[in-house]
Amino acid sequence: MNEGAQNSGRLNKPITLPIVKVVDEAKDFKSFYFDFDLDAKPGQFVTVWIPGVNEKPFAVSGQKDGLFSVTVSAVGPFTNKMHELKEGDKVGVKGPYGTHYKISGPDCDGTGAEHKNLVLVAGGYGVAPLVFLAEEAVGKGVQTTMIAGTRTKELLAFREKLESIGVEYLAATDDGSEGFHGFVTDVLENQISQGKASEICACGPRPMLERVGAIAEKHNLPGQFGLESYMKCGFGICGECAVDYKGIHICKDGPVFPLATAMKIFRFKKENDNFSQDNTDDKSEKEVF
Amino acid sequence: MPNLETAFLNKTFSNPTVLSSGILGVYGSSLVRVAIEGAGAVTSKSISLNYRSGHPNPIIVEFEAGLINAVGLSTHGIDDSISEISYAVKNSPSPVIASVFADNVENFALVSQRINEANPDFIEVNISCPNVESEFGKPFATDPKTSAAVTSAVKKVSKAPVIVKLSPNVPNIKLIAKSVVDAGADAICAINTVGPGMVIDIESAKPILSNKVGGVSGPAIKPVAVRCVYDIFSEVDVPIIGVGGVTNGSDAIEMIFAGATAVGIGSAVHYRGIGVFKKVSKEIFRFMDTHDYSSIEEMRGLAHE
Ligand SMILES: Cc1cc2nc3c(=O)[nH]c(=O)nc-3n(C[C@H](O)[C@H](O)[C@H](O)COP(=O)(O)OP(=O)(O)OC[C@H]3O[C@@H](n4cnc5c(N)ncnc54)[C@H](O)[C@@H]3O)c2cc1C
Ligand SMILES: Cc1cc2nc3c(=O)[nH]c(=O)nc-3n(C[C@H](O)[C@H](O)[C@H](O)COP(=O)(O)O)c2cc1C
Ligand code: FES
């Protein structure tokens, strides 16, 4: 109906849905399934409303056979409350919102170049949207590797699910309790040096994204980055989720940005900015929003 | 060739569209972006002296003909707000209006005094926020005496011209308009949201907004806004920013015919994206072109003749 509505023509008003399945993915990390044809793309998010509590954004972690899921890490009041919910309990859902990861198969840029080594880099609950993306990429015949990083073994999730569809799963833990002892970025460097990375999609804490971005730039690899910010409305009205670089709103212009835009957001320093000058840069940037 | 330039007090807007307070106006960078995307002027979210956390989510819900919001005055505290406004003033190609709010007359003066540091082009006094009634009692805008007291207190300290933003939720808006103009208001902005209203989720049998009630905006309130602007124009002789339900060029023209000098746009940012200012400007231009109007000035208040 209009440029502003990304909500599949539905009103920005929660739709009440019962939880049809709850799955423990890891310690304090649960998936909630809903029987609803959401029509989301990997990287997009929904908001979940628990009446009387709050409403918060969560990435869609899967979508199949008329069901979709979100996978929630219990970190505070809302997410703890959510972890108490059981099959049959109802919540309000809005969305899907925001931009998404774009994967177009082995010859995605039409140049005949083989983009067959997609590397997904996940930090913490950032794995949620990337599981959905992995399923889509595999469906398009793209060879996919997931590098998942957490503090410790019990927090790692989705290994079986991903391996069963043919995704190579590489873990990195801070304490070395499973997989590589260290950062996802070390594993990523290793994949790149073996020639096993042609494109990077990442989601996780900002410091991780910044390091992954720097690596992608150094090796001249294309990348897409899922960012987060504090959100209120979730659909581009309140202005709470803005980042300083060009007044980009994460909820609507993001959360997924191409490497170049993500790096500009990371590097932006308000003090030495001259907005008008900055605004005269390359045209390709314009297409982002 | 129609000219969209709009003289507003001591400034000239490149076109009559103005970003309304509370829509995307929390950060300076957003204000600058909206200005670059075509708004003739931009208004910040209402700023208050103290940090207020606002209400939990949901704070905005859409209904068939508009939005209902109870964002509350979730500002980031005066120091942060001043730096955001300063950033906007330095970088925005269009004039910047700083909106202020306080819980009593004295604090209105204090917050306005502080805002001088940011050098905004105008200060807009929000005496009409409907979302804080339960905390602060009735909005100031429902009483002509308090409205006047706030206005003169701000006028005394503000370096920038003072716009007073009125509530439609009063029996006689002319009375309020007259009292604030007599107290020194340089311009009026009308209207803030209508209501409050409520949307109930019939599955959970609960109001959707965490605050239960919220201010109604968008297409549903346009006829109320047009009537208010019409009434104010007939009563006082200061420029008016007409706000409420403006989504396209025809709506803007209606406001101008009612007596608006400039036209505020809020909820329509949701319906048509940030590009709405450019789009509405183009639509106004097209109307003027086909109806042989050459200036905004010439159309103002025509509905009164
Ligand atoms: C686009 C988007 C997608 C998201 N997807 C997921 C997801 O798939 N799974 C998931 O578990 N969580 C996701 N989140 C984060 C989730 O919304 C927050 O964890 C949740 O709001 C926390 O609420 P709470 O009341 O439980 O905890 P709070 O008390 O609000 O937060 C607990 C801690 O987490 C921090 N925090 C809260 N929100 C954020 C945030 N947005 N970014 C960074 N730190 C934050 C707080 O500073 C605090 O330290 C997403 C956020 C966004 C913006
Ligand atoms: C989400 C939201 C937040 C708002 N916040 C403020 C505010 O902080 N100060 C204010 O004066 N008006 C505020 N308003 C009112 C608008 O500025 C405007 O007066 C009203 O929405 C009517 O215009 P519209 O129909 O174009 O949205 C807010 C409106 C909305 C929708
Ligand atoms: S969260 Fe409100 S604009 Fe993004």
Side-chain angles (χ1 to χ4, degrees):
Chain A
M1 146 200 167
N2 57 55
E3 314 84 324
Q6 295 174 311
N7 202 17
S8 318
R10 289 191 294 271
L11 289 176
N12 286 285
K13 180 176 155 183
I15 299 173
T16 301
L17 298 174
I19 294 165
V20 296
K21 191 165 69 166
V22 182
V23 176
D24 278 308
E25 306 289 1
K27 185 170 182 290
D28 298 328
F29 200 36
K30 288 185 186 182
S31 289
F32 299 85
Y33 285 79
F34 300 93
D35 188 355
F36 186 78
D37 193 7
L38 187 70
D39 199 19
K41 300 204 170 73
Q44 288 191 303
F45 67 95
V46 294
T47 60
V48 176
W49 173 47
I50 305 178
V53 184
N54 212 324
E55 181 188 53
K56 298 272 184 164
F58 298 97
V60 176
S61 62
Q63 183 175 259
K64 219 176 165 173
D65 309 325
L67 299 184
F68 79 89
S69 61
V70 293
T71 306
V72 177
S73 171
V75 297
F78 182 86
T79 47
N80 283 324
K81 193 85 198 165
M82 206 156 162
H83 273 229
E84 289 169 17
L85 299 180
K86 309 238 150 18
E87 206 181 296
D89 287 342
K90 290 176 182 169
V91 297
V93 174
K94 284 190 317 201
Y97 292 126
T99 56
H100 56 89
Y101 296 99
K102 296 182 185 102
I103 297 299
S104 14
D107 181 21
C108 66
D109 51 13
T111 59
E114 294 254 301
H115 286 260
K116 62 175 185 199
N117 281 308
L118 174 65
V119 178
L120 309 177
V121 186
Y125 61 70
V127 70
L130 297 181
V131 173
F132 182 14
L133 176 61
E135 287 185 287
E136 185 182 273
V138 168
K140 287 186 170 165
V142 180
Q143 192 179 322
T144 306
T145 302
M146 169 77 79
I147 304 173
T150 58
R151 283 195 321 273
T152 185
K153 182 180 171 175
E154 291 119 59
L155 299 173
L156 286 168
F158 297 112
R159 178 192 280 272
E160 265 171 46
K161 179 173 187 164
L162 289 168
E163 286 181 344
S164 75
I165 59 168
V167 174
E168 182 185 16
Y169 184 96
L170 304 173
T173 51
D174 295 354
D175 64 0
S177 53
E178 186 169 332
F180 182 78
H181 186 169
F183 295 125
V184 285
T185 40
D186 299 324
V187 183
L188 175 63
E189 288 271 24
N190 191 32
Q191 287 293 109
I192 296 172
S193 66
Q194 292 176 36
K196 292 197 331 201
S198 59
E199 166 142 31
I200 298 167
C201 289
C203 190
R206 171 125 171 203
M208 180 204 95
L209 293 180
E210 292 186 15
R211 288 202 296 269
V212 172
I215 292 171
E217 269 188 341
K218 186 172 81 187
H219 296 280
N220 213 4
L221 291 171
Q224 299 171 56
F225 291 77
L227 271 57
E228 268 193 11
S229 70
Y230 176 70
M231 283 185 190
K232 275 286 196 182
C233 73
F235 60 97
I237 285 290
C238 72
E240 280 291 345
C241 68
V243 294
D244 287 337
Y245 175 68
K246 286 192 179 178
I248 285 177
H249 300 101
I250 298 281
C251 72
K252 190 147 181 178
D253 304 312
V256 180
F257 295 95
L259 175 65
T261 310
M263 292 312 279
K264 283 180 181 159
I265 292 172
F266 297 153
R267 289 187 179 131
F268 190 80
K269 292 271 180 299
K270 211 163 185 176
E271 309 85 66
N272 6 337
D273 167 50
N274 183 327
F275 201 103
S276 2
Q277 253 174 35
D278 190 56
N279 207 48
T280 59
D281 66 5
D282 56 311
K283 287 274 187 300
S284 59
E285 196 57 31
K286 261 263 166 280
E287 292 160 20
V288 177
F289 50 83
Chain B
M1 252 258 288
N3 183 356
L4 288 185
E5 280 187 1
T6 305
F8 188 88
L9 296 172
N10 57 342
K11 293 276 173 208
T12 302
F13 300 171
S14 58
N15 67 71
T17 67
V18 177
L19 172 73
S20 272
S21 177
I23 290 85
L24 299 181
V26 178
Y27 294 101
S29 56
S30 297
L31 290 168
V32 173
R33 176 173 173 196
V34 172
I36 288 174
E37 302 244 8
V42 292
T43 316
S44 77
K45 168 119 192 103
S46 294
I47 293 158
S48 63
L49 279 180
N50 302 314
Y51 171 77
R52 308 164 47 79
S53 65
H55 306 293
N57 279 337
I59 50 156
I60 306 183
V61 57
E62 187 175 6
F63 69 106
E64 293 68 17
L67 302 173
I68 300 193
N69 91 82
V71 175
L73 296 147
S74 58
T75 78
H76 290 232
I78 187 75
D79 294 320
D80 287 352
S81 299
I82 286 172
S83 88
E84 295 299 333
I85 307 263
S86 305
Y87 180 83
V89 171
K90 282 191 201 113
N91 294 287
S92 166
S94 312
V96 175
I97 305 168
S99 171
V100 296
F101 171 81
D103 51 1
N104 59 45
V105 176
E106 206 171 289
N107 285 340
F108 261 113
L110 284 175
V111 68
S112 307
Q113 174 100 52
R114 288 292 317 272
I115 284 297
N116 286 335
E117 294 167 32
N119 265 320
D121 297 290
F122 303 97
I123 189 163
E124 184 172 282
V125 189
N126 175 11
I127 55 170
S128 51
C129 181
N131 295 327
V132 288
E133 272 187 56
S134 49
E135 274 171 86
F136 299 119
K138 287 275 153 211
F140 299 92
T142 56
D143 175 38
K145 275 203 205 96
T146 339
S147 302
V150 170
T151 306
S152 52
V154 173
K155 188 65 195 162
K156 228 173 266 162
V157 298
S158 176
K159 285 199 217 146
V162 174
I163 306 166
V164 178
K165 184 160 181 185
L166 303 189
S167 165
N169 310 318
V170 293
N172 186 350
I173 200 164
K174 290 186 189 182
L175 269 182
I176 314 282
K178 184 154 185 340
S179 69
V180 300
V181 170
D182 288 348
D186 299 295
I188 283 177
C189 176
I191 55 176
N192 210 312
T193 51
V194 171
M198 181 184 281
V199 174
I200 292 171
D201 174 50
I202 59 170
E203 295 292 334
S204 60
K206 289 213 163 59
I208 292 178
L209 295 178
S210 67
N211 189 47
K212 297 190 175 64
V213 301
V216 184
S217 64
I221 71 166
K222 193 186 71 177
V224 178
V226 169
R227 185 268 302 164
C228 288
V229 169
Y230 186 95
D231 279 356
I232 297 164
F233 184 84
S234 70
E235 183 71 19
V236 294
D237 206 16
V238 297
I240 304 165
I241 303 178
V243 196
V246 173
T247 307
N248 54 44
S250 315
D251 301 334
I253 301 285
E254 221 180 315
M255 278 292 184
I256 294 165
F257 283 166
T261 295
V263 180
I265 294 178
S267 303
V269 168
H270 167 56
Y271 299 112
R272 304 184 73 188
I274 290 187
V276 64
F277 302 93
K278 228 171 243 164
K279 289 173 191 159
V280 169
S281 294
K282 252 190 214 146
E283 290 155 6
I284 295 173
F285 183 93
R286 225 173 290 136
F287 177 88
M288 290 170 71
D289 204 25
T290 53
H291 293 72
D292 283 331
Y293 292 111
S294 56
S295 72
I296 301 288
E297 165 91 57
E298 169 193 355
M299 301 192 291
R300 184 181 323 133
L302 276 189
H304 294 260
E305 284 171 14

